[in-house]
Amino acid sequence: MADAIRVLSMEAVHRAKSGHQGMPMGMADVATVLWTKFLRYDPKTPDWADRDRFVLSAGHGSMLLYALLHLTGYDSVSMDDIKNFRQWGASTPGHPEYGHTAGVECTTGPLGQGLATAIGMAMAERHLNARFGDDLVNHKTWVIAGDGCLMEGVSHEAISMAGRFNLKNLIVLFDDNNVTIDGWASLAETGDQLKRFAAAGWAVKAVDGHDHARLAAVMRWATRQDKPVMIACKTKVSKGAGALEGDKHGHGYNLFDDQIRAAREAMGWAHAPFTVPDDIKAAWLSAGRKGTRTRKAWEAASQANPNYEALIAAMSGELPDNAFAGLDAHIKASLESRPTDATRSCSGAALSHLVPAIPAMIGGSADLTGSVNTLVKGMGTYDTTDYAGRYVHYGVREFGMAAAMNGMALHGGVIPYAGTFFVFSDYSRPAIRLGALMGAKVVHVMTHDSIGVGEDGPTHQPVEHLAAFRAMPGLHVFRPADMVETAECWKAALNAGGPSMLVLTRQKIPAVRTSGENLAQKGAYEVSAASGEAVVSIFASGSEVSVAVAAKTLLEADGIATRVVSTPCWDLFDTQTPAYKASVLGTAPVRVAVEAAVSLGWEKFIGNDGVFVGMKGFGASAPADRLFKEFGITAEGVVAAAKAAMKA
């Protein structure tokens, strides 16, 4: 059965003329024991709630997973898909992609991220277990990780987090083959991984990765531990490849025809290419059918459970009917009171209405709770003493936090959100990108969004970050202008199908909204109309909308008809009708954009001939008001730019 994985892997890679057969061949024994004796899964219902999650963190070895899915009976991977590995239209892309292939729990490939994402899956399992009970939720998260995964910095964040939260249903199978692309892993790493995991609070064991009996015994031991487990499986890369078995360059090269013939002879595999003999195929399909029986038994027992419907509703991701009742009342009250406040505080106010109404929401921050306003009274702390708590203290682990939130969202049953300073999105960006690629419903709360950070200086003042994240496909980037817009952006984020980012101010800003219609969901809208036919249109987001409104007042006083457009979410604006977009852009001959960030991307609103008022370099250390003045991001600066453009 393990040799079937090896042969399919080397044949698919050979036919594609690219890929990695080394890890699938080396870990075939480990995977065979896992998928036939321990893993809870059902090929006929790949998304049932209490299945085990399997994450191939070493995603370059994707043929291992595709072979397993095909052999156990998943409809998502046919033999034709195996033959068309890495080809257009096949369900077998070079690295596993969530949503593209049923049975793939997580997009992997960037090393270490699969492991970090799996931490979030295990966290979600513990939370839902505490909420719904052992009978409904009690499954494991299994991870295959390699030397490269454990070198990546995010693995340190993930391992320490899992140990801190004592995620007992998490088991990592380390492909301990001492091989990386450049050769022996010891070229760059000589640390003791077992001691490293143990120091973080994990249970650890080492085992011969090709001894099925010992593998089964150690996996059985792992399932009984009361802490996360790492099993170092000592393997030979490209196991079964004859003379090339265990070669230090076996990570990714393709075998030639004569080498494949030699490997098949060494394994005693006398079957035609891409052919699995009936007896081996039957054994694999039997393992898959066992999982179907397990799933049916769970369903039969669970349907009498009083919490069953609530679990299924949570896993569906649908929001409660009254999810926004409190928020809508808050918006109405804010329109009347027109408060002046920092949008980070506005976000906290919105959350105070959302978190009680949406039980699935789990918040947190990267050691910045008091600054990012993500904690709502009564949430309780997620911890080993109370996994039902809804607030996670992630520590100073921005990358690990973002990856864990992806895992929570992929697991289902929870809607994760968490905060840090916007400048530290540099640390979490790779996980934010993978979340966008997967469509994971996560909300990233990013505060201290500009030079308004003030005295902390340019190290903490993001200027290029908005442009970078607005360029990322699949990510909704919201930069609201006041209390009302912030609440509307939260509503849009929770109704979105994928990840969102709220970019929020540290400094207080005045209210700009006067009407109650949910305008932020349109992405951009006219927030203040001109007194007559507009000569100037000013476009802005976030804190600079109030600057634009003040500039309009000055221009109108000089007899220059001016309108102001708020642009809280550019990609939502892109989805509007051509007629609506044209009405927002308007026909004013002078277009000015103002934002305390770099100009890249503003051509969308002001064209190539428009004027931009904003940052041309990094910030500086000084009080926020002084910085806005020094960099010319003021009402007077906008007026001067508009008048200069009128004369041009």
Side-chain angles (χ1 to χ4, degrees):
M1 293 171 73
D3 284 346
I5 296 173
R6 294 187 175 100
V7 172
L8 288 177
S9 297
M10 67 180 183
E11 288 176 343
V13 170
H14 178 67
R15 181 164 176 155
K17 297 182 174 62
S18 73
H20 308 77
Q21 89 295 320
M23 191 279 278
M25 296 179 74
M27 285 295 280
D29 296 303
V30 176
T32 299
V33 173
L34 174 62
W35 281 64
T36 59
K37 297 182 182 296
F38 295 96
L39 194 71
R40 284 162 55 98
Y41 62 99
D42 179 13
K44 302 307 176 187
T45 310
D47 59 351
W48 70 288
D50 202 33
R51 71 192 181 279
D52 284 357
R53 272 56 171 181
F54 174 74
V55 175
L56 186 69
S57 187
H60 56 274
S62 56
M63 265 309 305
L64 175 71
L65 180 52
Y66 300 146
L68 289 163
L69 295 175
H70 171 72
L71 292 167
T72 54
Y74 282 78
D75 293 335
S76 55
V77 180
S78 67
M79 187 59 81
D80 282 341
D81 289 314
I82 299 287
K83 292 178 181 177
N84 287 299
F85 176 55
R86 288 178 161 238
Q87 306 306 304
W88 180 265
S91 64
T92 49
H95 294 87
E97 296 179 23
Y98 173 80
H100 185 76
T101 310
V104 173
E105 300 280 7
C106 170
T107 298
T108 56
L111 294 180
Q113 278 208 63
L115 170 59
T117 305
I119 304 304
M121 294 180 179
M123 290 174 69
E125 188 275 338
R126 288 291 83 197
H127 176 73
L128 295 175
N129 171 270
R131 183 177 170 190
F132 295 111
D134 285 346
D135 292 338
L136 289 181
V137 181
N138 192 9
H139 55 265
K140 303 193 182 304
T141 301
W142 298 82
V143 182
I144 286 181
D147 288 281
C149 290
L150 301 189
M151 290 184 196
E152 287 286 358
V154 71
S155 74
H156 297 266
E157 298 182 24
I159 292 164
S160 63
M161 198 186 312
R164 169 61 186 85
F165 292 127
N166 199 37
L167 301 176
K168 70 173 187 176
N169 278 0
L170 173 68
I171 303 172
V172 171
L173 303 168
F174 168 36
D175 179 19
D176 185 12
N177 62 23
N178 192 35
V179 169
T180 58
I181 291 177
D182 282 355
W184 298 124
S186 53
L187 285 169
E189 174 62 73
T190 56
D192 188 323
Q193 298 292 0
L194 288 165
K195 289 181 180 178
R196 175 186 167 205
F197 276 79
W202 292 55
V204 298
K205 274 190 184 295
V207 66
D208 181 344
H210 303 301
D211 185 329
H212 288 214
R214 288 296 304 146
L215 283 166
V218 173
M219 288 184 199
R220 193 172 299 110
W221 164 84
T223 62
R224 297 194 298 263
Q225 301 308 300
D226 61 357
K227 58 179 66 176
V229 176
M230 189 274 262
I231 302 172
C233 306
K234 194 63 182 175
T235 62
K236 292 182 178 181
V237 71
S238 295
K239 171 71 173 174
L244 293 177
E245 178 179 287
D247 186 89
K248 68 178 181 179
H249 296 299
H251 169 85
Y253 57 58
N254 300 323
L255 300 175
F256 296 109
D257 288 338
D258 58 339
Q259 293 168 332
I260 287 182
R261 281 194 297 271
R264 292 163 70 89
E265 290 174 5
M267 285 184 273
W269 192 272
H271 313 288
F274 297 102
T275 299
V276 179
D278 290 343
D279 57 337
I280 297 175
K281 185 184 299 183
W284 271 113
L285 291 175
S286 176
R289 286 192 295 271
K290 182 177 66 174
T292 301
R293 292 193 295 271
T294 301
R295 187 262 306 170
K296 289 181 176 178
W298 176 85
E299 286 182 342
S302 298
Q303 288 175 8
N305 191 303
N307 291 324
Y308 178 73
E309 294 299 330
L311 171 66
I312 297 305
M315 294 298 292
S316 74
E318 295 181 4
L319 299 176
D321 293 338
N322 64 344
F324 301 117
L327 187 71
D328 289 340
H330 164 67
I331 291 173
K332 183 178 180 181
S334 299
L335 284 165
E336 295 173 356
S337 62
R338 296 179 59 78
T340 293
D341 211 342
T343 53
R344 61 169 174 162
S345 299
C346 298
S347 174
L351 285 169
S352 70
H353 298 282
L354 292 168
V355 169
I358 306 175
M361 290 183 71
I362 294 184
S365 86
D367 197 47
L368 289 168
T369 296
S371 295
V372 297
N373 296 92
T374 46
L375 176 62
V376 173
K377 185 178 180 180
M379 292 183 76
T381 299
Y382 180 96
D383 205 345
T384 55
T385 55
D386 182 19
Y387 289 120
R390 297 169 62 192
Y391 194 82
V392 182
H393 292 279
Y394 288 99
V396 189
R397 302 183 181 105
E398 292 87 0
F399 193 171
M401 176 176 76
M405 286 198 293
N406 285 342
M408 290 181 185
L410 296 178
H411 179 281
V414 297
I415 302 172
Y417 73 91
T420 187
F421 292 173
F422 191 28
V423 76
F424 300 143
S425 62
D426 284 335
Y427 290 145
S428 53
R429 179 184 172 85
I432 296 172
R433 181 179 185 273
L434 265 195
L437 187 61
M438 296 185 286
K441 189 170 184 176
V442 172
V443 182
H444 302 276
V445 179
M446 298 290 180
T447 70
H448 297 59
D449 67 342
S450 71
I451 59 170
V453 171
E455 293 87 346
D456 279 342
T459 61
H460 283 56
Q461 293 168 3
V463 294
E464 75 277 26
H465 299 63
L466 273 167
F469 282 109
R470 283 169 175 161
M472 185 178 288
L475 175 69
H476 296 295
V477 179
F478 296 95
R479 190 170 185 246
D482 65 2
M483 183 76 77
V484 172
E485 268 199 13
T486 303
E488 289 179 344
C489 289
W490 261 110
K491 191 172 185 178
L494 290 171
N495 280 322
S500 298
M501 177 182 288
L502 271 72
V503 182
L504 308 168
T505 68
R506 177 195 187 191
Q507 74 276 20
K508 291 184 177 182
I509 51 179
V512 296
R513 276 288 291 281
T514 57
S515 69
E517 181 188 358
N518 191 336
L519 296 170
Q521 68 181 355
K522 297 179 181 295
Y525 64 94
E526 185 178 82
V527 70
S528 184
S531 59
E533 184 174 351
V535 175
V536 176
S537 286
I538 307 175
F539 300 85
S541 79
S543 52
E544 287 70 68
V545 176
S546 59
V547 173
V549 171
K552 176 206 165 174
T553 300
L554 296 175
L555 287 165
E556 290 272 2
D558 287 342
I560 302 170
T562 303
R563 60 195 288 270
V564 176
V565 173
S566 178
T567 66
C569 186
W570 291 12
D571 60 320
L572 285 184
F573 179 66
D574 289 340
T575 67
Q576 305 303 313
T577 65
Y580 177 79
K581 287 191 283 188
S583 71
V584 169
L585 294 175
T587 58
V590 174
R591 294 183 182 182
V592 181
V594 54
E595 189 171 66
V598 298
S599 64
L600 185 65
W602 274 104
E603 299 84 4
K604 179 195 297 285
F605 294 97
I606 63 175
N608 293 326
D609 297 326
V611 180
F612 179 76
V613 177
M615 298 298 294
K616 297 179 175 59
F618 293 112
S621 177
D625 291 347
R626 180 66 180 270
L627 290 174
F628 277 96
K629 182 179 179 180
E630 292 293 338
F631 289 111
I633 307 173
T634 62
E636 293 77 12
V638 174
V639 169
K643 289 182 176 180
M646 291 173 64
K647 295 176 182 178

